[in-house]
Amino acid sequence: MKVTMIGSGYVGLVSGVCFADFGHDVVCVDKDAGKIEALRKGVMPIYEPGLEQLVATNVKAGRLSFSTDVETSVADSDVVFIAVGTPSRRGDGHADLSYVYAAAREIAAHVKGFTLIVTKSTVPVGTGDEVERIIRDTNPEADVAVVSNPEFLREGAAIEDFKRPDRIVIGISDDRAREVMTEVYRPLYLNQAPLLFTERRTSELIKYAANAFLAMKITFINEVADLCEKVGANVQEVSRGIGLDGRIGAKFLHAGPGYGGSCFPKDTLALAKTAQDHDSPLRLIETTISINDNRKRAMGRKVIAAVGGEVRGKKIAVLGLTFKPNTDDMRDSPAISIIRTLQDGGANVVGYDPEGMENATTVIDDIVYAKDAYAAADGADALVIVTEWNQFRALDMARLKKIMANPILVDLRNIYRHDEIVRHGFHYTSIGRPDLAEKT
Ligand code: UGA
């Protein structure tokens, strides 16, 4: 199969290289000439475990190439994926579809022979209809089928998620297209990954409903964590206790500082807007959004309380800046609001992140970056773990105790146990668990 991927960002690049690895002939296209030039030299635009190696292998095998030229690759393709960004539109929170529509116009002008146009970008219900209209208006002769095929990759685990998906959702109404899509995903199909064929609008909604449900699940356990703190219960045990019920499921029940990233915040907002426009509001999702926004700021206040209610002039070390581990993505990271709240209170913030510091400089002002966790903690009045990178899971507490000005650890991801930290003479605050430090 000859495949073109329009947009070589996170989704396009990971999907493109994985399709190439399945044996398809893939061209990843992007308008950003600098990005394409870098990719040709083997330099990745994002940090994603395993990506660089997989790109190198498939480029070497001659199955993957990079281009800025839509015309040649589209004319040659059986399938063209649209994997461009759909950011929140400034001002109203609707998904900004201008990149998707621009891609559709460009593709329409160059398609030859029966071609599938597949939307992989996260797009609101009805976008496929509009893409189809644009293509037919631009090129009435075009023999195309417009398909919805949302992606469910998690940053940091994207290649694994692509190769071992829980399901593949395909919104389609054309039998020829159905055959081609089955061929595109044949290796996964042979591995028995369920291929779910639906109407196109249903497929578009499945993507939003999945992300909104997961965001709601996280938000639910975050609120339960707050209650646990008030009533002296342990949220990790509550999660386990409810997660073992097969109807609930154990995943996405880790209480933390609130969800962030490039997907949940923008997708929940876009879904809520779509629902309002159709006079069918999703109040659970609207509430989820507002609880999560408030939570990020509340986490800053939680740190201030752990330090004794006053951070003016104090040095606070923050470990982990990205919205989750194994990515360099800072978009909507809880660290941004937490650090801002600390700075508003007059704190001097030192930050460290294994991969995210370069991107952090574009969204966080006035912090000092340290070269590792210990350099950040040196002389600090408190150490705050915001993102659960593996390298923060076994910190040398004795060493930290010696170098910190005050032994206060705020663990917003519950990666430590109270007893092991308190034993080293720390005051320890975590999320939704009885605060033993207060009792010693
Ligand atoms: C999310 C979905 O999990 C993917 O299925 C989806 O494809 C992707 O969005 C997308 O739409 O592109 P991602 O944003 O990469 O993936 O990251 P997640 O692992 O879902 O984490 C999102 C946020 O929720 C992070 O801030 C994470 O720390 C937080 N989280 C997650 C929790 O606070 N608790 C949990 O139990 C799980």
Side-chain angles (χ1 to χ4, degrees), residues 401-419:
K401 175 88 190 317
K402 273 199 202 114
I403 59 177
M404 287 177 65
N406 276 308
I408 296 174
L409 178 62
V410 183
D411 175 5
L412 299 180
R413 296 287 182 169
N414 287 352
I415 61 179
Y416 287 102
R417 287 200 330 263
H418 286 91
D419 53 343

Side-chain angles (χ1 to χ4, degrees), residues 78-328:
D78 304 297
V79 186
V80 180
F81 284 94
I82 299 178
V84 296
T86 52
S88 280
R89 198 162 64 190
R90 228 173 250 278
D92 66 4
H94 275 289
D96 177 352
L97 294 171
S98 52
Y99 303 107
V100 173
Y101 294 154
R105 269 188 288 275
E106 214 169 344
I107 294 164
H110 303 301
V111 276
K112 289 209 172 61
F114 178 58
T115 312
L116 260 59
I117 316 295
V118 187
T119 311
K120 244 200 185 309
S121 307
T122 299
V123 293
V125 179
T127 304
D129 301 355
E130 185 60 16
V131 166
E132 188 159 350
R133 197 189 58 73
I134 290 171
I135 291 174
R136 304 230 179 276
D137 283 358
T138 314
N139 180 359
E141 305 300 313
D143 184 14
V144 298
V146 176
V147 179
S148 157
N149 173 216
E151 60 79 25
F152 300 98
L153 312 175
R154 286 164 305 159
E155 292 189 17
I159 292 169
E160 177 68 16
D161 282 352
F162 194 95
K163 294 195 164 177
R164 282 180 199 58
D166 290 340
R167 78 302 203 187
I168 298 153
V169 175
I170 301 175
I172 222 162
S173 49
D174 177 306
D175 283 346
R176 290 180 302 169
R178 191 179 166 126
E179 258 174 52
V180 178
M181 286 306 281
T182 307
E183 201 49 41
V184 167
Y185 279 106
R186 177 166 300 280
L188 295 181
Y189 182 61
L190 294 176
N191 280 346
Q192 317 235 304
L195 240 62
L196 181 65
F197 287 99
T198 69
E199 286 298 317
R200 196 163 59 203
R201 284 178 169 245
T202 306
S203 163
E204 289 167 341
L205 188 56
I206 286 172
K207 168 67 190 186
Y208 279 100
N211 272 3
F213 188 86
L214 291 170
M216 191 174 69
K217 197 172 177 189
I218 296 167
T219 304
F220 172 80
I221 203 65
N222 283 342
E223 283 208 307
V224 170
D226 291 347
L227 179 62
C228 283
E229 288 176 18
K230 296 275 162 54
V231 300
N234 182 325
V235 73
Q236 279 177 315
E237 288 166 14
V238 173
S239 290
R240 188 161 157 70
I242 63 173
L244 282 169
D245 184 330
R247 294 169 301 175
I248 295 173
K251 292 180 180 162
F252 278 65
L253 282 179
H254 299 291
Y259 62 78
S262 62
C263 303
F264 287 172
K266 108 178 144 56
D267 293 348
T268 44
L269 200 57
L271 179 61
K273 292 285 171 192
T274 301
Q276 283 162 11
D277 286 354
H278 288 82
D279 214 8
S280 183
L282 292 173
R283 284 189 292 271
L284 285 172
I285 302 308
E286 289 169 9
T287 305
T288 295
I289 294 167
S290 99
I291 294 171
N292 194 65
D293 285 347
N294 289 335
R295 182 168 190 83
K296 292 182 189 174
R297 283 188 293 275
M299 289 298 115
R301 295 194 295 274
K302 185 178 175 83
V303 174
I304 295 173
V307 178
E310 178 58 80
V311 285
R312 187 156 302 282
K314 291 192 173 155
K315 177 177 169 182
I316 311 292
V318 173
L319 298 188
L321 303 171
T322 52
F323 80 98
K324 68 175 200 174
N326 300 325
T327 177
D328 58 357

Side-chain angles (χ1 to χ4, degrees), residues 3-19 26-40 42-48 51 55 59 64-70 73 80-86 99-100 103 106-107 120-121 151 153 155 328 331:
V3 174
T4 295
M5 193 62 70
I6 309 276
S8 300
Y10 195 83
V11 174
L13 190 54
V14 172
S15 308
V17 69
C18 288
F19 281 135
V26 180
V27 184
C28 286
V29 178
D30 205 288
K31 286 212 170 320
D32 182 341
K35 187 191 271 183
I36 292 299
E37 203 42 51
L39 280 164
R40 284 182 176 149
V43 179
M44 300 299 108
I46 48 165
Y47 172 77
E48 178 64 32
L51 183 63
V55 167
V59 167
L64 178 65
S65 60
F66 301 100
S67 173
T68 50
D69 174 24
V70 173
S73 51
V80 180
F81 284 94
I82 299 178
V84 296
T86 52
Y99 303 107
V100 173
E106 214 169 344
I107 294 164
K120 244 200 185 309
S121 307
E151 60 79 25
L153 312 175
E155 292 189 17
D328 58 357
R331 283 176 285 180

Side-chain angles (χ1 to χ4, degrees), residues 335-391:
I336 301 170
S337 307
I338 293 169
I339 290 172
R340 208 166 282 152
T341 308
L342 293 171
Q343 289 174 330
D344 287 348
N348 302 315
V349 178
V350 183
Y352 169 69
D353 189 280
E355 295 293 337
M357 293 199 285
E358 199 180 321
N359 285 340
T361 55
T362 62
V363 282
I364 301 175
D365 294 325
D366 297 328
I367 77 167
V368 173
Y369 292 98
K371 73 173 189 343
D372 61 26
Y374 299 99
D378 197 13
D381 293 287
L383 186 64
V384 186
I385 296 171
V386 177
T387 314
E388 70 279 31
W389 286 89
N390 271 344
Q391 60 176 263

